[in-house]
Structures are given as C-alpha cells and as structure tokens.
Amino acid sequence: MRIDILTIFPEMFSGPFGHSIVKRAVDKGLVNIHLHNIRDYATNKHRRVDDYPFGGGAGMVMMIQPVMDCIEALKKERNYNEIIFMTPDGELFDQPIANQLSILENIIILCGHYKGIDERLREHIITREISIGDYVLSGGELAAAVVTDSLVRLIPGVLGDETSALSDSFQDGLLSPPVYTRPADYNGWKVPDVLLSGHDLKIADWRHEQSLLRTRDRRPDLYQQQKPDASSDNNP
Ligand code: ADE
C-alpha cells in the first residue's frame, strides 16, 4: 500500500511515523508513506497556500492551486483509489472504514488547515471526507496520522501475529476482553482462575462473555447492533 499525505507541516509526522508499528512496516517495505509539503507547489512569490475568503469573514482558506498541482503531479505517476480530505464534517472514522481503506493500493490524504479548503477541491477532486471525531483539531495532520496508523496495522505481515489485528476491539463490533500477565497474584489482586486453567474452550467462552459485558456497559450503542445470537446466548 502507498499513502501520500499532503500537508503544510510534514515534520508533524516524524513522531507518529518514526516509532513502533508504523516505522517497522515502513522499514519492512509493507507500506510506503510519502509526505508532500503543499507549500512546495505554491507558485506565488511568497509561497502562500491560503487566502482570504470571498464574501469576508474570519479565517483563511486553503487555495486550490498548490493542492491541485501536487495532486495532479501524483496522479500522473499512478492511479489513486481514494483522495481523502481530513475534516471534522466528514464521515466518522471507524473500524469498518479502516478495514475498507487498508486493502486499497494507493491513497492520498489531504490535511486541511485554517478555516478550510476551497470548496471546489471538495466538489471536484476529493473522493472521500473523513472525521476522526466530533471535535475540531488545529489541522488535519493528527487526524491523518490516526487514520494512517489504523490502516497500517491491518496490512498483512505488519503485526507479528496475523490474528492480533482481527482480535482488536471493534473488529467484531465488540470491545476487547480484559487481559492479564504475570504475576498471577499481585499482593492479593488475582487473575481470574479460568485464564490459568489451560482449558482453551472455557477461556474463549469467558473472553467472549467479557467482551459482551464490557460492550454492554461501556458502549450500549455498539451492543444494540449485535446480532441477536451474539448477545442472547450469554444474556449478561
Ligand atoms: N481536522 C480538524 N479537525 C478534524 C477532525 N475532527 N477530524 C478530521 N480532520 C480534522
């Protein structure tokens, strides 16, 4: 998978992409992440990428030309499955969207700034608009890093244990069950007996039940969406 990120702050990504799973995936060649500074495409004297909004009002608007030139240059090289704009008024990002995007070949992610981007970019060139939550960030960079991280961990071979992305919270619409590690008894705080029983079937049943309980208590909205057979068998 190739991800091209268009931003006016490429250095913001060195933290999130320079460590852990994303870095390992990049180093292994399982994903190619390319950062493009939109300012490099500005043709005006001061390399401006924003301008005043027509009609007046507060805030600046990201101009079409530098963004368009950058996207056109990329599109000359390859086809893109999606050109995504990070924006608080986009569709709310969730695990099913992450799953959909993770199987694509090439995507562009555009990070907005200021008051927004010229609407004509959204009308004519953007294919998908994504929000990571109902709050406003200073720009799309952190949101793009969140989306990229969630996609990269789904790419086959990125996680050591192939099954671990599948057992993530939300993959089956449920939250993950609690986990424990050594010691089995920490000053009287004990690990549930079933996890020490060595009985795989009982452990799987316990984990499923805990997932259901946790989802019911913490995310009743997700719990409601469960198929009847998933929630009725344990009826917690
Ligand atoms: N840009 C600013 N806020 C954002 C949000 N919540 N999601 C995606 N992009 C954003």
Side-chain angles (χ1 to χ4, degrees):
M1 179 180 206
R2 177 184 167 116
I3 305 175
D4 288 276
I5 299 177
L6 278 53
T7 169
I8 54 168
F9 294 124
E11 48 307 331
M12 278 184 76
F13 293 90
S14 52
F17 295 169
H19 303 275
S20 185
I21 288 169
V22 176
K23 178 176 185 324
R24 224 172 46 221
V26 169
D27 290 347
K28 276 196 201 166
L30 296 168
V31 62
N32 292 308
I33 302 176
H34 297 265
L35 298 167
H36 306 275
N37 192 337
I38 298 169
R39 213 173 284 286
D40 292 343
Y41 292 83
T43 50
N44 56 73
K45 202 166 103 198
H46 298 290
R47 296 175 74 214
R48 276 183 65 174
V49 292
D50 63 321
D51 211 334
Y52 295 99
F54 280 128
M60 304 293 276
V61 177
M62 223 176 214
M63 296 155 70
I64 298 181
Q65 176 271 316
V67 173
M68 204 56 204
D69 284 4
C70 181
I71 291 177
E72 289 299 344
L74 290 171
K75 282 172 74 175
K76 272 200 194 114
E77 299 296 321
R78 65 196 67 77
N79 290 323
Y80 283 90
N81 307 98
E82 295 278 14
I83 302 177
I84 298 164
F85 175 47
M86 302 309 306
T87 173
D89 58 6
E91 62 182 317
L92 214 47
F93 191 59
D94 60 8
Q95 194 63 50
I97 299 178
N99 294 345
Q100 280 171 24
L101 297 179
S102 73
I103 57 171
L104 301 179
E105 198 81 13
N106 302 311
I107 62 171
I108 289 174
I109 304 180
L110 171 63
C111 306
H113 253 275
Y114 315 111
K115 198 72 196 155
I117 61 169
D118 192 303
E119 187 67 17
R120 289 165 291 182
L121 283 167
R122 300 175 73 163
E123 282 168 10
H124 298 289
I125 200 80
I126 298 297
T127 61
R128 195 155 189 175
E129 302 189 330
I130 292 178
S131 163
I132 61 159
D134 290 339
Y135 41 82
V136 179
L137 301 167
S138 311
E141 282 76 11
L142 294 174
V146 166
V147 168
T148 302
D149 185 290
S150 73
L151 304 190
V152 167
R153 65 200 310 288
L154 294 170
I155 296 171
V158 167
L159 295 185
D161 174 0
E162 279 286 21
T163 60
S164 54
L166 293 176
S167 62
D168 280 347
S169 274
F170 303 110
Q171 274 301 4
D172 54 3
L174 291 174
L175 302 182
S176 291
V179 292
Y180 302 85
T181 186
R182 285 184 291 185
D185 184 338
Y186 179 81
N187 298 339
W189 296 352
K190 293 202 172 112
V191 169
D193 287 339
V194 63
L195 296 178
L196 309 174
S197 69
H199 197 302
D200 290 347
L201 219 63
K202 276 192 188 149
I203 293 172
D205 278 352
W206 181 85
R207 286 188 169 142
H208 182 61
E209 186 184 314
Q210 290 296 314
S211 279
L212 287 168
L213 285 170
R214 205 161 250 212
T215 311
R216 184 194 66 181
D217 294 345
R218 296 175 186 211
R219 292 293 303 272
D221 56 318
L222 288 179
Y223 188 71
Q224 289 302 322
Q225 291 164 23
Q226 284 294 303
K227 291 183 206 83
D229 61 312
S231 49
S232 64
D233 53 1
N234 286 287
N235 206 17

